[in-house]
Amino acid sequence: MTGRAPRTTRSWWQDAVIYHVYPRSFLDTDGDGVGDLRGISHRIPYLARLGVDALWLSPFFSSPMEDFGYDIRDHTAVDSLFGDMANFDALLDTAHGHGLRVLIDYVPNHTAAAHPWFQESRSGPDSGRRDWYIWRDPAPGGGPPNNWITLFGESAWTWDSRSGQYYLHSFLSTMPDLNWRNPAVREAMFDVARFWLDRGVDGFRVDCAPLPAKDPALRDNPPASPGAMAHHRPMGGYDSQQHLYDQGHSDIHPLYRDFRILLRSYGDGPDERIALGEIHEYDWRVWSSYFGRDLDEMHLPLNFGLLRTPWQARATADLVHEVLRALPDDAVPTWVMGSHDDPRVASRVGRAQAPNAMMLLLTLPGTAILYNGDELGLPDADIAPEDIRDPWGLRTPSLSRDPARSPMPWSDGPTAGFTAPEVTPWLPVTIPPGGTAAAQEHDPSSLLTLTRALLALRRSHPALGSGTIEFLDAPTGVLAYTRSAHPQATDRSLLITLNLTDHAVPVDQVLADRFGGRSLSTLATTATRGDSRVLAPHEGVIWTPE
Ligand code: NOJ
């Protein structure tokens, strides 16, 4: 996208900000300590005021909750923990009424073992649904059929003594992998998508998008070179292999082409329903293959590069360059700054830099994913070992995802308004240094106020979402770039300078080179900025000619 003229017609999702809601932790209205769909509906006005374009909801489907909803027992039922279908329909109506799109999670790779499909499948080798999952005999010398491991670093095969074979599971043994090579599975899972599209959802975030296509011969994965990282953060035993055969087989592409055709059958204009793919791939050419050769697969393959890149000016600029270089013509990149699976951004980059991280996220070209609570600067919660709930954390405490999943702190009180004061929330509530949402609401120096201002600026300057980006020479530790509607459109362009250091840095030269002596208006991460051309420690500023 660097220097390339932007497309003339754009769809809403090509420069959107998508707010990721983790339903368990958003707002509890029925007093069980777990968030629910009604709670999300109550907060739609907050999200509309914030200025995001869409929300994506993590799973709220019927589930034993061993992986907190990613283990689905019934794809077309709302788990009673979160409410019922009427609550979902009301949420959808409320969001649409406020001009917000709604995306939901779609989990193709696995179901819960409690799903009726698996129950039938495991009833015996002759079961009509045996081939809906991946069953194999032991390896010739005994033991699991191959060396594949789960994300927890354990064998991905569990022996089922009742039916006398192993079944495959990329995650918990209670989350068996579906066999997408069986056309009946594909049809049944496409029907799941149709069910929600018929209800009116605007699209899906496709969980573990590369996983449904595995090597048909189930070959062993080769060992990884020492120090290699299969994910964006060290994953212990999982990093010991190159995950060559247990995911991402080339058959994934026809599958997502067909999925796109299904989506398009619901309309292909500006309101086309969309697919966001969860793709942990850091070879950017492989990542970009998920757009499809003719941009006919995923609308938006998610890009987790910012989570893997050191918080440094050079490294960040290099990442953006690499991603944009790998981007197919007319495709738009996505940027993820936080998620329910990763340490919180305010803890990763530090409290002082969190506003800069928000400024970066909302000024990069393409579509941004904002994880709930990051607009408040919520840090990782301190979770005592005996309070760990996450199955990853129960195996390897350092990998626990609980710290990023603590409830939203809405207001004063013992449970910060997340649930009734006398109720124990499912995870402890943490109050960010900037205060609860209510405290930040009218505080001109809060991260919430800044996020709102950035989103408003993004709306009034389309160049921020869809324009070109150019990195500029700047003093060490400062990330400086312009966003312009066209490569040469300097008068409408915005110049962003992020001081990633803890000392003041002059940027007068950068400004003079770009704007000469013109007077400039600013939006800054600090509420106290005057007209100085020196960045305060940790300060980020967006400059525009007046
Ligand atoms: C990715 C999800 O984001 C994560 O939370 C979940 O545990 C796995 N997929 C398994 O579905």
Side-chain angles (χ1 to χ4, degrees), residues 67 70 110 171 175 205 207-208 278 340-341 401 405:
D67 193 22
Y70 282 93
H110 43 266
F171 294 89
M175 295 161 71
R205 174 267 194 184
D207 186 69
C208 301
E278 188 201 14
H340 63 304
D341 291 333
R401 299 168 296 177
R405 296 176 175 181

Side-chain angles (χ1 to χ4, degrees), residues 126-436:
D126 298 329
S127 146
R129 286 217 162 87
R130 186 63 166 181
D131 196 35
W132 280 47
Y133 294 83
I134 302 170
W135 294 94
R136 287 294 182 279
D137 291 332
N146 67 18
N147 74 349
W148 295 358
I149 49 179
T150 67
L151 253 93
F152 315 119
E154 300 158 350
S155 170
W157 296 94
T158 287
W159 175 251
D160 182 49
S161 51
R162 204 153 28 123
S163 64
Q165 279 189 310
Y166 282 96
Y167 66 88
L168 180 70
H169 50 90
S170 299
F171 294 89
L172 299 173
S173 61
T174 49
M175 295 161 71
D177 283 20
L178 281 164
N179 175 17
W180 276 79
R181 297 196 178 277
N182 179 343
V185 166
R186 193 182 164 103
E187 209 33 48
M189 285 302 293
F190 276 28
D191 277 348
V192 169
R194 287 187 192 103
F195 174 89
W196 291 104
L197 292 166
D198 288 340
R199 286 209 102 77
V201 302
D202 299 287
F204 302 103
R205 174 267 194 184
V206 180
D207 186 69
C208 301
L211 264 67
K214 307 166 206 305
D215 177 40
L218 305 186
R219 276 171 285 183
D220 277 356
N221 279 328
S225 30
M229 245 183 5
H231 244 253
H232 51 271
R233 57 176 171 143
M235 290 294 296
Y238 187 72
D239 291 332
S240 66
Q241 295 185 352
Q242 246 184 81
H243 294 274
L244 205 57
Y245 295 124
D246 53 2
Q247 55 182 283
H249 184 273
S250 57
D251 288 346
I252 201 69
H253 298 293
L255 168 62
Y256 288 129
R257 273 202 289 282
D258 287 349
F259 196 68
R260 180 76 172 252
I261 291 168
L262 187 164
L263 292 170
R264 212 177 292 133
S265 71
Y266 283 79
D268 65 355
D271 289 328
E272 182 178 352
R273 320 289 178 98
I274 64 164
L276 250 72
E278 188 201 14
I279 293 156
H280 293 285
E281 182 52 73
Y282 306 94
D283 174 336
W284 300 113
R285 280 160 318 165
V286 178
W287 166 78
S288 79
S289 71
Y290 284 85
F291 286 100
R293 234 180 259 138
D294 296 316
L295 296 193
D296 53 357
E297 297 180 31
M298 294 281 169
H299 297 75
L300 298 170
L302 292 179
N303 158 13
F304 294 87
L306 288 169
L307 301 183
R308 194 177 157 109
T309 304
W311 188 240
Q312 291 159 7
R314 184 76 266 150
T316 304
D318 288 349
L319 167 78
V320 175
H321 272 304
E322 281 168 35
V323 169
L324 296 183
R325 206 175 306 125
L327 199 69
D329 282 353
D330 286 340
V332 294
T334 56
W335 305 99
V336 176
M337 190 57 96
S339 90
H340 63 304
D341 291 333
D342 299 287
R344 285 266 182 195
V345 60
S347 297
R348 276 196 335 265
V349 304
R351 175 189 174 183
Q353 283 291 330
N356 273 341
M358 187 61 78
M359 191 170 265
L360 174 71
L361 176 69
L362 299 181
T363 56
L364 285 175
T367 294
I369 318 294
L370 200 171
Y371 178 49
N372 60 198
D374 285 350
E375 77 278 21
L376 303 175
L378 199 59
D380 282 336
D382 265 335
I383 313 274
E386 61 278 14
D387 291 336
I388 294 181
R389 307 287 301 271
D390 176 28
W392 298 21
L394 290 169
R395 286 168 173 74
T396 314
S398 62
L399 293 184
S400 178
R401 299 168 296 177
D402 290 335
R405 296 176 175 181
S406 69
M408 285 289 283
W410 293 109
S411 52
D412 284 347
T415 59
F418 164 68
T419 182
E422 68 285 0
V423 173
T424 306
W426 80 284
L427 283 176
V429 174
T430 295
I431 309 293
T436 64

Side-chain angles (χ1 to χ4, degrees), residues 513-530:
D513 288 351
R514 189 68 187 188
F515 295 126
R518 300 175 68 171
S519 46
L520 302 170
S521 58
T522 55
L523 171 62
T525 58
T526 44
T528 50
R529 149 150 292 279

